[in-house]
Amino acid sequence: MAASSKLPAPPTAAPTAQLPAQLPAQVSPPEFALSPALPHQIGGAEVWALPVVPADAEGDGPSLGPGAEEAGDLLGLDLLGLLEAQRATGRTGEVISVPVVHDDVQLILLVGVGDQSVTDFRRAGATVARATKDRASVVTSITSIAPDGGLGAFVVGAMLGSFGFHWRSSGPKERPVARIVLAGTTDEDADDELARALAAGGAGWRSRMLACVPSNLKTPAWLAEQAEEFAAAAGLRVEVWDEVRLAAEGFGGVLAVGSASVSPPRMIRLDYTPHGATKKTPTVVLVGKGITFDTGGLDIKPPEGMLSMKRDMSGGAAVLATMAALGDVGCPVRVIGLVPAAENAIGGAAMRPGDVIRHYGGRTSEVNNTDAEGRLVLADAMAYAVAELDPAVLVDIATLTGAMKVALGQGTGGYFANDETLAGLLAKASASSGELLWRMPLVADYEERVSSRVADGDNAAGGAGAITAALFLQHFAGDVPWGHIDFASIAEAPAERYEWTQGPTGFGPRLLLDWLGSADPLEGIA
Ligand code: BES
Ligand code: MN
Ligand code: ZN
C-alpha cells in the first residue's frame, strides 16, 4: 500500500538558481629583464622607449637620455628636432610616438621623466605600459637615469599600468606588452630591486584582480579557496573557519553580518614565519575586511551606492596579496593575516537594526545600522588577534566608510594609529611606496557617540563617520599598538591615471610590503 502513495523525496538542497560562474583565463603582467646594453644594441624588440628630460635652468629645450643619439643615427632620425617640432616638454606622463620602418624596431617612444623623482619613474613606467599594449616587447633606457628606487618604481608602474580584467566570451580586449627589457642597467643591486618590485607590483595586481571578480563567483568560500592557493604557492600555513566553527568559537559579528546570505561566512587565517625565526621573533597581525558583497543589509543601499560593493573585500584582498609576497621581500618578522569574510545580504535571517550581537571574547554591539557591517566583522578578528596571537602590532585595512571619501577625496587613503612610532612607520612606507595615506585623529571627545544605551558599543555612531568608526574599532585593539587604514576613499580609481587603471586600485599591499619588507619593521616598538 505504502509504496504507491509515496511522495517524491523532497530535494535535499535548493536547486541552483544560476549557472555556475566560470572565470575565463586572465591576462598576465609583462615579464621583465635587465640588460647592460642600450636599445640599439639589443636585437628583436618591437619598441624602444627613451627618456626625455625637461630643460634645466639654463637649457633652452628638453634633452634625450642614453641610447637616443645612437638610435637616431641608426634610424636616420633627428630625434631632438622631433622633440622641438612636437613642442615636447619632458613632463611626466608625456609620450611622443614615432613609428619607424626598420628591421630592428617599429616604434620609438619618447617618454617624459619630469623631475626624475621615484614617483616620476613610477608614472613613466605606467605611461610606457599604456603605449605598448598588445606589443611583444619594449626595450627602454629610461631606468638607466633613475635615482635610487627609481628602477623598482618604474617596474611597479609598468606592471600596474598594464592591469586588465575581463569576462568576455571573445577573450581580453587588449593585452599587456609581453616583455620589458630595462636597458643600460649596470647597477649591481638591480636584480634585488627588480625582485622586490615584482613582488610589490604582483601583489597590487593580485589584489586588483580579486576586487574585480563579481560576487556571483566571489563568495566567502571562494575567497578562502583563493587564500588556500596563495598559501600553497608561498609556503604559508592556512586555516579556514566555516560557519559551524565560527559559531562554536563565538565569532558573533562575522555570523550576524553573514546570516542572510546563501553563501555562509568564513574566517581566513594565513601564517608567515621568516627563516630562522625563534620564540622571540615578534608577530604582526594584519586584519582585512572581507565583505564579498555589501547590499547594506536591511538598511539597504541605494543602487548607486551598491554598484561597486563587490569590491568591499578590498581590504581582505590587500591582506591576502601581502601575505603571499612576504617571503619575496624578505620580511624578518612573523605575520599573521586574518580575513573575516561574509556577504552582507538581505533575507529573513538578516540581522536587524536594533539587534545586539556578541563579538569574539564577549564585547557586545548594538546594530543601529546594518550597513555599518565592516566594523562588526573586523571587531571579531581584532578581538581574536589580541586574545590569541600575542601581536606586537595590529593593523587593520578596510573599505570602511563613505565618510573617508568625503574627508579625503579619491586620491589618498586615511589611517589612524594609537601609537606614534607605528604611525611614523606607516607614513614612511606610504611615502616610499606611492600609496598615499593621510593621518586622521582618534578624537577622544567623540567617544560618547560610540556608546550604546543597551550594549558595550554602537556600530552606527555617525557624526564624523570615519573617526567614529575608528573609535568603535579601537575598543578591540586593547593595549596593542594598532593602526587602522580606511581606504574607502581610494579603493576605486574613477579613471585611468598614473599606475591606476579605472576600477579597483588594489591599494594596500605595496605600502604594507614596503613596511614589512624593511630591515626592522618593528623598529622602536618590539
Ligand atoms: N562598504 C561601505 C563603505 C564604502 C562606501 C566603501 C563607499 C567604498 C565606497 C560600508 O560598509 C558602509 O556602508 N559604511 C556606511 C557606514 C554608516 C552606515 C555608519 C557608510 O559609510 O555610509
Ligand atoms: Mn556597509
Ligand atoms: Zn561595507
Side-chain angles (χ1 to χ4, degrees):
M1 295 281 113
S4 58
S5 62
K6 229 182 195 172
L7 292 169
T12 49
T16 325
Q18 293 187 43
L19 286 171
Q22 276 190 316
L23 187 65
Q26 299 297 317
V27 300
S28 313
E31 279 175 17
F32 291 83
L34 304 173
S35 170
L38 287 173
H40 72 281
Q41 299 164 320
I42 301 171
E46 235 182 296
V47 185
W48 294 347
L50 306 165
V52 180
V53 178
D56 58 20
E58 309 99 62
D60 49 7
S63 57
L64 283 160
E69 207 176 309
E70 298 88 334
D73 289 350
L74 188 77
L75 301 167
L77 282 174
D78 174 9
L79 292 174
L80 264 181
L82 225 144
L83 281 186
E84 203 176 315
Q86 295 294 316
R87 299 204 170 79
T89 62
R91 67 178 165 74
T92 316
E94 182 181 83
V95 57
I96 293 172
S97 304
V98 190
V100 293
V101 182
H102 193 274
D103 285 348
D104 277 344
V105 61
Q106 296 168 22
L107 178 70
I108 309 292
L109 297 174
L110 306 175
V111 181
V113 292
D115 295 331
Q116 297 159 75
S117 69
V118 168
T119 301
D120 290 310
F121 283 91
R122 188 179 304 112
R123 293 176 179 176
T127 303
V128 169
R130 291 212 170 89
T132 55
K133 284 276 171 70
D134 292 323
R135 301 270 180 182
S137 60
V138 52
V139 177
T140 179
S141 60
I142 293 174
T143 46
S144 71
I145 59 164
D148 267 3
L151 181 143
F154 181 93
V155 169
V156 168
M159 279 177 92
L160 295 179
S162 299
F163 178 81
F165 177 86
H166 84 102
W167 200 321
R168 287 173 212 285
S169 54
S170 53
K173 239 181 177 173
E174 51 185 15
R175 290 177 182 277
V177 60
R179 184 175 163 82
I180 300 181
V181 180
L182 306 177
T185 306
T186 50
D187 187 350
E188 283 175 4
D189 300 332
D191 275 323
D192 190 47
E193 193 175 340
L194 174 59
R196 291 178 84 91
L198 292 176
W205 181 289
R206 176 172 270 174
S207 189
R208 257 184 219 184
M209 195 279 286
L210 290 173
C212 280
V213 172
S215 301
N216 54 328
L217 175 60
K218 185 174 49 191
T219 60
W222 184 88
L223 205 58
E225 279 165 28
Q226 299 297 302
E228 280 163 355
E229 279 178 30
F230 300 170
L236 307 173
R237 205 176 77 90
V238 58
E239 203 174 339
V240 177
W241 281 246
D242 65 9
E243 68 275 25
V244 176
R245 186 167 166 205
L246 286 169
E249 296 182 19
F251 288 86
V254 180
L255 285 166
V257 172
S259 59
S261 175
V262 294
S263 309
R266 295 285 182 267
M267 162 100 132
I268 304 163
R269 170 175 167 178
L270 296 177
D271 287 42
Y272 164 84
T273 308
H275 290 298
T278 66
K279 277 189 180 151
K280 284 186 185 156
T281 309
T283 301
V284 169
V285 176
L286 302 176
V287 176
K289 171 176 172 181
I291 298 299
T292 58
F293 195 81
D294 183 8
T295 65
L298 294 179
D299 291 313
I300 190 168
K301 285 182 183 293
E304 61 278 12
M306 205 189 294
L307 191 55
S308 65
M309 286 301 134
K310 66 178 174 190
R311 294 174 192 157
D312 211 19
M313 37 51 73
S314 294
V319 169
L320 297 181
T322 300
M323 294 303 299
L326 288 170
D328 298 328
V329 298
C331 171
V333 295
R334 291 178 200 277
V335 185
I336 298 176
L338 299 174
V339 180
E343 181 184 4
N344 189 20
I346 294 165
M351 61 177 177
R352 290 152 290 252
D355 281 3
V356 174
I357 60 175
R358 184 177 183 278
H359 294 283
Y360 186 93
R363 190 176 159 87
T364 59
S365 290
E366 185 180 8
V367 181
N368 282 315
N369 193 319
T370 63
D371 198 9
E373 83 298 338
R375 64 200 76 182
L376 300 177
V377 302
L378 292 172
D380 276 11
M382 288 172 60
Y384 167 78
V386 171
E388 311 290 338
L389 305 177
D390 188 26
V393 160
L394 175 63
V395 172
D396 77 86
I397 175 163
T399 50
L400 201 63
T401 66
M404 192 56 97
K405 216 162 161 176
V406 177
L408 296 178
Q410 283 180 272
T412 181
Y415 77 107
F416 300 78
N418 66 0
D419 180 276
E420 295 309 305
T421 312
L422 176 60
L425 291 166
L426 291 174
K428 197 171 143 207
S430 159
S432 60
S433 67
E435 293 193 318
L436 297 186
L437 281 183
W438 187 258
R439 187 165 180 193
M440 302 281 290
L442 290 160
V443 184
D445 236 22
Y446 302 166
E447 184 61 39
E448 60 194 34
R449 282 185 170 269
V450 193
S451 67
S452 154
R453 283 178 196 279
V454 298
D456 298 327
D458 171 349
N459 84 322
I467 298 176
T468 52
L471 291 174
F472 175 92
L473 289 177
Q474 190 172 16
H475 288 281
F476 296 89
D479 299 330
V480 177
W482 162 69
H484 161 57
I485 298 172
D486 181 351
F487 70 115
S489 49
I490 193 173
E492 186 164 343
E496 230 175 47
R497 195 154 193 237
Y498 311 136
E499 71 266 38
W500 315 118
T501 44
Q502 194 268 330
T505 57
F507 184 94
R510 286 194 273 149
L511 87 90
L512 292 173
L513 288 167
D514 202 292
W515 168 43
L516 295 169
S518 65
D520 187 4
L522 296 174
E523 192 179 356
I525 300 179

